[in-house]
Amino acid sequence: MTISMNGSLVGEESTAAVISAVETAGSGGGHQLHVLTLTPFYPHQNDSAAGCFVAEPLAHLQDLGVESSVIAVQPFHRGRMTASQLVHPSSWVHYVSLPGVLGLTISGPLLSKQIFTSVSRLHLQCPIDLIHAHAPLPCGYAAFLLQRKLGIPFVVSVHGREVFSDSAGGPWARNRCRRMAKMVYRSARRVICVSETVRQELRNGVPEADCTVVYNGTDSTLFRPVTGIDAPLVLSVGNLLPSKGHEVLLRAFAKVAPSHPRLAWQIIGIGPEYGRLRLVARELGIEDRAQFLGRLNRDAVAEAMRRCAVFALPSSCEALGCVYLEAMAAGKAVIGCHGQGIAEIVRNGQNGFLIEPGNIEELAGVLGLLLREASLRARVGAAARATILEGLTLEHQAAHLARVYRECVA
């Protein structure tokens, strides 16, 4: 189901008229559960992997009796997006905002006003039982305002460890963002956290929030093992940011590289650390063995995961990390860090490995062990694949979401 968005603002009189019409129509009956997904994360024409954790479960939700409408949003200053043809249909809304944390303080109310008329019309045509907002700001706050105006309950998903969006900006903007986020968490029928790590961090700030954990699922058909392919290759997938630990991995790679003359390191991703990481690779003498592939589509990422020997991403700030799950589904031994969301999934030494964040020597030791022992890689990779199939597929994610939705509208 798609929505036509004209982006027009509505005045007080038309707002009141639409609310009255919605209240008169009521919620109706005899229809599937209808959920409006409101998200800043969604695949688009420039990046088929963006927001795949939001888009990919929707087909499975439909199999479970949940009809989904999708509004994907981006601020104007990030450029215009158009919908990807590869996933569940969506309507893109480009809303007025400012860059940075200051923009978050105003974007929720502006977004709510911009989509109000279209959401109201959709609600009249096919009553919306629940809004699922992704991230508290701006979508969660927009859902909070829509709930007040239209009476539609909402849930909000938290995908990152910075649950209050206060990592940058001045003190006024940070404090206002925290207050707005807390209001969203307290008003939501449920706060959906992608890991127990995120739930605990959120409860430390908003203990009264009704939180539940729903792990992201993985497309276990796309990300699947292929026998006979195990290239001398260490793979990473992630934005080129300091917190992702790419420099730690580069330095660990340099320590094991002399013992493995054909070994290469590939990184899929883009970001501000690109130039500095290239310089580090040059300084370490491994520039010709460190391959920066940029952004790739989903099929190409899956192929790279099937081809590699080891997947490593020593990230120090990871709410969960879909890329670990995808590599595990592909039957690969993965290396992550203790204290992150992925530590709830990986059993160290059994279906993957965990190191202390920033520990180059420990990472080099695990890399060396896995590269030397093919049987260990195969055993750990098989256990990793089994972990995904037991409870972390897209079907599992959809089933958990459907349960939460029905509980919240009961």
Side-chain angles (χ1 to χ4, degrees), residues 314-338:
S315 177
S316 60
C317 188
E318 206 69 46
L320 180 61
C322 291
V323 290
Y324 301 106
L325 305 182
E326 291 164 355
M328 292 173 72
K332 298 302 176 179
V334 304
I335 305 174
C337 288
H338 291 289

Side-chain angles (χ1 to χ4, degrees), residues 36-321:
L36 171 62
T37 295
L38 186 59
T39 177
F41 319 113
Y42 211 71
H44 51 83
Q45 83 285 5
N46 295 328
D47 188 354
S48 62
C52 57
F53 48 87
V54 175
E56 290 179 346
L58 297 181
H60 301 283
L61 279 166
Q62 188 164 10
D63 293 338
L64 297 171
V66 178
E67 180 84 12
S68 297
S69 299
V70 180
I71 302 176
V73 308
Q74 281 290 311
F76 274 112
H77 62 78
R78 292 186 181 173
R80 296 196 66 82
M81 305 293 184
T82 58
S84 169
Q85 302 301 310
L86 303 176
V87 294
H88 188 89
S90 64
S91 296
W92 279 88
V93 170
H94 299 86
Y95 61 90
V96 178
S97 184
L98 297 172
V101 174
L102 182 60
L104 289 177
T105 65
I106 63 172
S107 55
L110 291 176
L111 175 61
S112 175
K113 288 183 179 180
Q114 190 165 335
I115 66 176
F116 176 79
T117 298
S118 295
V119 171
S120 302
R121 288 172 179 165
L122 175 65
H123 191 40
L124 286 169
Q125 296 166 1
C126 181
I128 300 168
D129 298 288
L130 188 71
I131 299 174
H132 185 171
H134 290 268
L137 302 176
C139 290
Y141 198 81
F144 162 71
L145 295 176
L146 289 171
Q147 175 183 255
R148 290 174 57 181
K149 293 178 179 179
L150 298 175
I152 306 171
F154 77 96
V155 299
V156 59
S157 278
V158 185
H159 297 280
R161 293 191 60 178
E162 295 178 350
V163 297
F164 296 114
S165 303
D166 62 355
S167 60
W172 180 87
R174 289 199 306 270
N175 290 335
R176 179 162 173 76
C177 280
R178 289 181 67 85
R179 291 195 300 270
M180 294 174 76
K182 287 184 176 182
M183 187 179 300
V184 169
Y185 297 140
R186 290 173 180 138
S187 302
R189 290 281 177 94
R190 197 71 58 84
V191 181
I192 301 172
C193 304
V194 297
S195 65
E196 185 64 34
T197 301
V198 172
R199 176 161 67 172
Q200 290 303 320
E201 293 190 15
L202 191 144
R203 280 187 165 170
N204 289 338
V206 193
E208 65 272 29
D210 188 354
C211 304
T212 192
V213 173
V214 176
Y215 292 111
N216 289 329
T218 304
D219 186 340
S220 57
T221 301
L222 176 61
F223 295 93
R224 65 188 185 279
V226 175
T227 58
I229 300 179
D230 190 20
L233 176 66
V234 176
L235 177 69
S236 300
V237 181
N239 292 330
L240 305 184
L241 302 170
S243 64
K244 294 294 183 179
H246 296 308
E247 182 177 348
V248 174
L249 182 54
L250 266 179
R251 295 189 181 279
F253 180 91
K255 289 181 177 294
V256 302
S259 301
H260 303 273
R262 296 176 54 241
L263 186 66
W265 176 68
Q266 290 185 344
I267 167 61
I268 298 172
I270 60 174
E273 286 281 283
Y274 172 75
R276 197 180 67 79
L277 290 172
R278 291 294 299 266
L279 179 61
V280 171
R282 187 180 306 123
E283 292 173 347
L284 293 171
I286 56 172
E287 184 179 18
D288 60 335
R289 300 170 72 171
Q291 303 166 8
F292 293 82
L293 304 182
R295 176 186 289 154
L296 300 180
N297 64 33
R298 296 285 280 161
D299 289 337
V301 171
E303 175 59 29
M305 288 184 172
R306 287 191 288 268
R307 192 173 61 247
C308 73
V310 177
F311 179 89
L313 186 67
S315 177
S316 60
C317 188
E318 206 69 46
L320 180 61

